[in-house]
Amino acid sequence: MTSYAIYPKFMYVSGITNAQNAVVTFTADSDFTDGEYVSFRVTKDFGMQEINQVRGKVLSHTSDTITVDIDTLNWTPFTYALVNTEGTTPPTCVPAGSGIIPESDPSTINLQDSNDNRRI
C-alpha cells in the first residue's frame, strides 16, 4: 500500500498585524507548522496588498494563528472586508514549500514543495 503526505490546505485569513514578524489569524484552526513556508493572496479589498504573493517562513503557531518572518510594520493595515460582496475574493494563506522542521526530534522533513501534487 502506498501512503502519501497530507498537504496543509489553504486557509482563509481574518487578520494580519502590522509588526516586524506579522501574526496572521485564520478563520479556523490550521495545520501549518513551524519551519514551513507560506504565501499570501490578498486583494485590494482587504488592504495590505503589499503581502500579496509574498513568501514567508512560519516562526511559530497556535491553533488558529501563525507568526511569519515578514516585516509588515510600514505596510497598509489589513482590514477584513465583507466577503459576500460580488467579485470579492477572500484573503488566503497557502503552503509554499518547506524544509527541515526546526527543533524536531527526531529531525523530520516537512514538505519540499507543497504545490507539486503529482505524487512522484
Side-chain angles (χ1 to χ4, degrees):
M1 181 164 117
T2 306
S3 63
Y4 301 102
I6 297 175
Y7 300 134
K9 59 184 178 180
F10 73 89
M11 295 299 301
Y12 291 113
V13 174
S14 62
I16 305 173
T17 62
N18 288 90
Q20 203 164 28
N21 291 313
V23 176
V24 180
T25 304
F26 302 116
T27 58
D29 290 351
S30 83
D31 294 324
F32 293 123
T33 59
D34 296 355
E36 184 171 358
Y37 287 92
V38 295
S39 183
F40 298 90
R41 307 297 180 265
V42 178
T43 63
K44 64 182 179 184
D45 301 307
F46 298 91
M48 201 177 283
Q49 201 170 6
E50 299 94 334
I51 203 166
N52 190 41
Q53 303 291 336
V54 173
R55 182 177 183 239
K57 184 176 184 177
V58 177
L59 302 174
S60 64
H61 71 282
T62 66
S63 62
D64 66 344
T65 68
I66 57 173
T67 301
V68 291
D69 66 346
I70 300 172
D71 184 350
T72 60
L73 255 173
N74 297 311
W75 289 3
T76 309
F78 182 90
T79 353
Y80 194 73
L82 294 175
V83 293
N84 60 357
T85 304
E86 187 176 331
T88 301
T89 303
T92 57
C93 177
V94 297
S98 61
I100 295 178
I101 300 171
E103 301 175 20
S104 62
D105 186 29
S107 181
T108 53
I109 294 181
N110 207 341
L111 306 173
Q112 292 297 324
D113 184 358
S114 60
N115 292 318
D116 182 358
N117 293 318
R118 296 175 292 169
R119 297 183 176 172
I120 57 174

